[in-house]
Amino acid sequence: MNIFRKINIFWILSFVLSCFFAVAAYKVLFRYNTIRLSVLYQAIFNDLLFYAIIVPIFVGNIIKLIDEDMSYSKMISYGSRANWQKKVMKKLFIASLIYIFILVTPINVERLILWMKNSQLQDYCYCILAFITYVLIFTLISYIAFILKIQWNMDILVLVGIIGIIFAPYLLTRIILKTEIINFSYIINAYFLFVDNQYLWFAHELMCIVIIAVIICVYALASFQIKNKDLLWRNDEK
């Protein structure tokens, strides 16, 4: 039991979720073994799962990781606020990488290896770029969660803020612009980049570059926030 006490409960939930996705993908592939990988992603990683399960578990992971470094002694041990920020945000990036690896690896293995005879080059391109996109998007989410946590130190506010941000495309397109509904899973799965059954991989690459630019801006915003904010409210030592 000691090993489970040392493991964040949210990582255990992530593994359980990965098993669920693996079974779901197998059932879909068993019935439609020629299904395109992007369609499989869109079917399994849908809006309901993102809003209700995937993002909340991820944000729970991120909040736990940030809390571990919020003690005064941790910041002192890093030498400066800048070093503390680099250490924490590096940890958040690694956490994002691990989380996405846990979630999407079973599906990719099933689609690209078990059904290799039906796989196409665009499936392999999509597999690589989709994984990169997921890691970048969830890294961006973790950095925004970091900013919200630093600003207000309220876990529920962090979760609500993140859900609000990823729900914004739906509100913008459905209610404000009254155009074709665009949602979070539609964007993150890059499903709109398939036109006339052709995969616009170069546009997917461009999308990754744009996300990287946004991540850099958010990182700079976090640096400005940390330099100009009193952080003495951090969690007390236990």
Side-chain angles (χ1 to χ4, degrees):
M1 292 298 295
N2 289 335
I3 187 173
F4 290 105
R5 292 176 182 174
K6 295 179 181 179
I7 298 177
N8 183 349
I9 184 64
F10 291 105
W11 286 117
I12 299 176
L13 291 176
S14 302
F15 177 76
V16 173
L17 190 61
S18 176
C19 294
F20 168 78
F21 288 147
V23 173
Y26 181 83
K27 289 184 176 181
V28 173
L29 289 169
F30 185 77
R31 296 182 62 184
Y32 312 103
N33 62 0
T34 60
I35 191 171
R36 199 165 54 203
L37 186 61
S38 60
V39 178
L40 184 63
Y41 266 54
Q42 188 73 11
I44 294 179
F45 298 127
N46 55 60
D47 287 320
L48 179 60
L49 285 175
F50 266 120
Y51 294 138
I53 300 176
I54 296 176
V55 170
I57 290 177
F58 177 71
V59 173
N61 265 321
I62 294 305
I63 290 174
K64 289 287 291 182
L65 289 173
I66 296 174
D67 280 338
E68 291 174 1
D69 281 312
M70 293 302 286
S71 64
Y72 183 75
S73 62
K74 278 291 184 71
M75 180 174 286
I76 292 299
S77 67
Y78 292 144
S80 67
R81 294 188 179 203
N83 287 337
W84 175 73
Q85 179 192 354
K86 290 178 182 177
K87 293 285 186 180
V88 174
M89 299 189 91
K90 179 181 178 180
K91 182 185 292 187
L92 297 184
F93 168 74
I94 294 175
S96 304
L97 179 63
I98 295 174
Y99 186 74
I100 298 307
F101 183 83
I102 291 174
L103 290 189
V104 308
T105 297
I107 296 177
N108 291 338
V109 169
E110 289 174 346
R111 179 63 184 87
L112 299 179
I113 295 182
L114 298 181
W115 279 263
M116 185 170 291
K117 63 181 180 179
N118 296 317
S119 296
Q120 301 177 5
L121 179 61
Q122 69 176 21
D123 272 348
Y124 293 101
C125 293
Y126 175 82
C127 175
I128 295 172
L129 288 174
F131 180 83
I132 294 173
T133 303
Y134 267 65
V135 172
L136 292 175
I137 286 288
F138 277 79
T139 298
L140 178 60
I141 290 175
S142 70
Y143 286 2
I144 294 174
F146 177 71
I147 290 176
L148 295 176
K149 178 72 173 175
I150 292 294
Q151 185 67 32
W152 289 290
N153 195 28
M154 296 177 60
D155 296 349
I156 186 63
L157 188 58
V158 173
L159 178 59
V160 171
I162 295 299
I163 294 296
I165 290 172
I166 66 174
F167 196 64
Y170 175 86
L171 294 177
L172 178 64
T173 55
R174 175 67 177 85
I175 299 177
I176 299 177
L177 298 180
K178 298 186 183 303
T179 59
E180 179 184 358
I181 298 175
I182 298 178
N183 51 50
F184 184 67
S185 66
Y186 188 73
I187 296 174
I188 194 174
N189 290 320
Y191 192 66
F192 65 100
L193 296 178
F194 285 81
V195 180
D196 296 330
N197 205 35
Q198 296 295 318
Y199 172 47
L200 305 179
W201 59 267
F202 58 90
H204 204 162
E205 286 184 333
L206 180 61
M207 188 171 74
C208 290
I209 294 174
V210 171
I211 298 172
I212 291 174
V214 175
I215 289 175
I216 294 173
C217 293
V218 172
Y219 188 96
L221 178 61
S223 300
F224 177 80
Q225 180 193 33
I226 290 173
K227 289 179 181 178
N228 295 276
K229 185 174 180 61
D230 181 10
L231 300 178
L232 294 179
W233 51 264
R234 291 185 308 277
N235 297 339
D236 294 332
E237 293 289 345
K238 297 181 179 180

